[in-house]
Amino acid sequence: MAEEFEGRDLKGAGFWGVDLTGARFREANLTDVSVSHAWLVNVDIDIDASSTVW
Amino acid sequence: MINGVDVTQFVNERDRWYPSRAMLRPPDPEGMRAAWGAPSEAWASTAERARALREEQLHQSVGGEWSFVDTLRHLLFAMDKWCTKPLLGAEAFHPWGLPNAGSADLDWPGIDRDARPTLQEALDARAGRASKFCAFLDGLTTDDLVRTDEVVENGSSPVSECVYTVVEEEFHHNRYALRDLALLE
């Protein structure tokens, strides 16, 4: 079974070369998150998109 | 979908790197040969732009990222990791290859951690590798794509994934290099 990260403090964590296929983010604080060299395929995002830079 | 809105067309129309960005994972060898063309030409232009800077600027980190020459060294490493070694059967990496930080402590055969090549030396090394990659692509067939080879750190990987990774590394790091060159100029 996939690992659950509920309530964990992952501020500043780095995800490099990881497979997050099917991962679910709920009530996650993604402030100042930076994503590059990533694949967003069939992704459904429900967010407060204020100040988002694409 | 963002908040129920399909933003694909909106983003693509405003993306400086579209359609190149969408061509990085073609399904067949012909597409792979075509996919290599765009980042290859982009890098030739980027290298010309870098030549206008002083050598010491090309070894300068920008915003905590790799210097321009370090980026070239990382691409040399990526080429060896995903092509020269698994696909072409080389025993060791080019000594100037620079692994990503998260993998720096692994035992990479042939890597010289104290190397500090000049811009021209790094470009020449990359040109040699690119030439071999092109020759490999020229002979690539559909049957080859499903064959698997052993990639250091990543394990058994299909040939198609090896090709994709080489092309994607070239594409994305060119964008990062251009971002940092703009700050150095």
Side-chain angles (χ1 to χ4, degrees):
Chain A
M1 184 173 172
E3 191 170 354
E4 295 286 335
F5 294 93
E6 185 168 353
R8 294 271 296 276
D9 184 350
L10 298 175
K11 281 197 287 289
F15 299 90
W16 186 309
V18 296
D19 187 349
L20 295 175
T21 302
R24 297 157 289 114
F25 298 86
R26 182 164 176 167
E27 296 178 29
N29 184 350
L30 300 177
T31 302
D32 294 333
V33 162
S34 172
V35 179
S36 65
H37 200 153
W39 297 268
L40 235 63
V41 181
N42 298 328
V43 171
D44 188 355
I45 301 174
D46 176 26
I47 53 170
D48 166 6
S50 57
S51 301
T52 298
V53 178
W54 295 101
Chain B
M1 301 286 281
I2 307 282
N3 295 349
V5 180
D6 186 344
V7 299
T8 308
Q9 187 175 348
F10 178 88
V11 171
N12 286 343
E13 286 175 352
R14 291 157 180 80
D15 180 5
R16 174 188 171 189
W17 299 102
Y18 184 83
S20 297
R21 194 195 296 271
M23 297 168 57
L24 299 176
R25 292 188 155 244
D28 51 57
E30 193 59 37
M32 290 176 177
R33 287 185 274 273
W36 172 248
S40 184
E41 289 171 17
W43 261 112
S45 166
T46 302
E48 276 310 300
R49 197 167 147 185
R51 287 182 200 280
L53 298 178
R54 299 187 307 279
E55 184 72 27
E56 63 264 30
Q57 289 179 288
L58 300 169
H59 295 271
Q60 181 181 325
S61 167
V62 177
E65 303 287 347
W66 279 319
S67 71
F68 189 83
V69 172
D70 281 348
T71 293
L72 298 180
R73 293 177 56 200
H74 176 66
L75 291 173
L76 195 56
F77 167 83
M79 179 67 87
D80 283 354
K81 177 179 174 180
W82 292 97
C83 172
T84 318
K85 207 167 183 311
L87 305 183
L88 306 182
E91 289 297 316
F93 284 69
H94 191 291
W96 299 341
L98 181 65
N100 43 294
S103 305
D105 292 337
L106 294 179
D107 182 22
W108 300 103
I111 295 287
D112 175 4
R113 295 172 188 273
D114 297 322
R116 198 170 188 275
T118 64
L119 169 68
Q120 191 56 54
E121 289 172 334
L123 288 173
D124 289 346
R126 266 173 52 70
R129 290 298 201 261
S131 174
K132 290 179 180 174
F133 184 62
C134 276
F136 172 79
L137 286 181
D138 283 345
L140 191 63
T141 68
T142 305
D143 289 343
D144 292 331
L145 297 181
V146 293
R147 193 188 74 223
T148 59
D149 284 300
E150 198 66 18
V151 174
V152 180
E153 186 182 32
N154 291 70
S156 181
S157 305
V159 169
S160 57
E161 196 60 33
C162 295
V163 172
Y164 292 153
T165 304
V166 169
V167 174
E168 286 168 351
E169 286 286 305
E170 295 282 334
F171 173 81
H172 289 294
H173 280 288
N174 180 59
R175 295 191 303 114
Y176 308 150
L178 288 172
R179 173 200 64 199
D180 296 342
L181 279 178
L183 295 173
L184 288 170
E185 290 167 340

